[in-house]
């Protein structure tokens, strides 16, 4: 799987980590930067992965237009994909999409339509990986939809404003999708959101 990813995607940053605490920040709207992964809590708000086991994880942080369908044609994409380096069939796969909104009103502004945009980006990214035979079409994968700058719980608001329910996304796309700013890595096979 790692070899296939590195063979198909060139506009990205990959690596492995077994840090107890993993933080992911998308600097694009903060300072025009890139998606970064840290083992120490950064100054900027981030998506947090609690990896106390610890599990060795492969990560692929996507740069702009990383998922090329054809020259000049790119798939919708999220910030990154992560999975255990053990590469067993039953291991989890996690996709992360973030939006940096200043408050709950901005996060759920009807014109921005972040909930549906985020879901479309996750589905597009997962479909790209399935279409390129990196992930089997029948494998269930996980996805986090995150607003790192929001301190209050936004999960209920998120689900009320999306066109698709989590059940429809699971049934139609084999994606277990949750709005959250953190996740706990329980084992190679299990995540707790």
């Amino acid at each position: 799987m790692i070899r296939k990813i590195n063979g198909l995607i060139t506009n990205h940053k990959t690596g492995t980590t077994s840090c107890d605490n993993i933080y992911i920040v998308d600097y694009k709207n903060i300072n025009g930067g890139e998606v970064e992964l840290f083992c120490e809590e950064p100054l900027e708000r981030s998506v947090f992965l609690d990896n106390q086991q610890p599990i060795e994880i492969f990560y692929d942080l996507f740069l702009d237009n990383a998922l090329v369908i054809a020259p000049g044609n790119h798939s919708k994409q999220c910030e990154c994909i992560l999975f255990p380096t053990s590469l067993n069939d039953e291991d989890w796969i996690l996709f992360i999409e973030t939006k940096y909104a200043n408050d709950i009103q901005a996060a759920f502004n009807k014109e921005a339509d972040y909930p549906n945009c985020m879901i479309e980006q996750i589905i597009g990214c997962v479909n790209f990986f399935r279409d390129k035979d990196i992930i089997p079409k029948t494998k269930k994968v996980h996805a986090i939809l995150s607003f790192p700058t929001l301190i209050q719980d936004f999960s209920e608001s998120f689900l009320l404003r999306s066109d698709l329910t989590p059940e429809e996304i699971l049934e139609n796309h084999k994606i277990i999708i949750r709005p959250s700013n953190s996740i706990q890595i329980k084992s190679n096979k299990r995540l707790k959101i």
Side-chain angles (χ1 to χ4, degrees):
M1 189 159 135
I2 294 170
R3 196 174 316 121
K4 281 185 179 180
I5 288 173
N6 287 326
L8 285 168
I9 303 171
T10 56
N11 201 22
H12 63 157
K13 295 184 295 185
T14 63
T16 61
T17 185
S18 56
C19 298
D20 292 346
N21 300 303
I22 301 169
Y23 302 90
I24 297 172
V25 179
D26 183 1
Y27 283 102
K28 184 173 186 171
N29 291 323
I30 296 171
N31 62 18
E34 302 170 346
V35 179
E36 300 284 346
L37 183 142
F38 301 97
C39 292
E40 300 291 328
E41 188 169 6
L43 295 174
E44 296 77 17
R45 302 285 300 175
S46 58
V47 177
F48 173 64
L49 286 78
D50 182 0
N51 187 28
Q52 298 303 309
Q53 298 307 321
I55 305 296
E56 186 176 52
I57 296 168
F58 174 84
Y59 61 86
D60 189 341
L61 311 175
F62 306 128
L63 302 177
D64 286 344
N65 300 318
L67 308 182
V68 179
I69 297 170
N73 185 12
H74 303 90
S75 173
K76 290 184 183 214
Q77 67 184 55
C78 56
E79 269 56 78
C80 60
I81 181 175
L82 303 99
F83 50 84
T85 58
S86 52
L87 300 174
N88 295 318
D89 290 344
E90 62 277 359
D91 287 353
W92 53 263
I93 297 173
L94 175 65
F95 291 84
I96 297 175
E97 170 58 20
T98 62
K99 296 290 185 209
Y100 285 78
N102 294 328
D103 55 43
I104 198 89
Q105 289 78 23
F108 297 108
N109 177 299
K110 286 186 181 184
E111 278 111 41
D113 197 22
Y114 285 149
N116 290 306
C117 291
M118 293 169 85
I119 290 169
E120 286 175 17
Q121 286 176 264
I122 290 288
I123 291 171
C125 196
V126 170
N127 285 342
F128 176 88
F129 278 78
R130 292 191 198 283
D131 292 344
K132 299 294 184 184
D133 293 322
I134 298 170
I135 298 173
K137 296 198 185 309
T138 57
K139 180 167 179 60
K140 290 180 186 171
V141 300
H142 297 267
I144 290 181
L145 307 168
S146 173
F147 288 107
T149 50
L150 297 185
I151 296 170
Q152 74 243 52
D153 181 30
F154 55 85
S155 58
E156 194 63 38
S157 299
F158 194 101
L159 298 174
L160 291 172
R161 289 178 174 82
S162 60
D163 292 341
L164 296 171
T165 67
E167 294 78 20
E168 291 170 322
I169 295 166
L170 177 59
E171 184 178 329
N172 298 331
H173 301 283
K174 304 287 186 253
I175 303 170
I176 301 165
I177 201 162
R178 297 288 184 268
S180 181
N181 287 336
S182 63
I183 191 164
Q184 187 176 23
I185 299 168
K186 302 294 275 182
S187 69
N188 287 19
K189 299 177 185 178
R190 196 165 146 242
L191 298 172
K192 181 179 179 186
I193 303 174

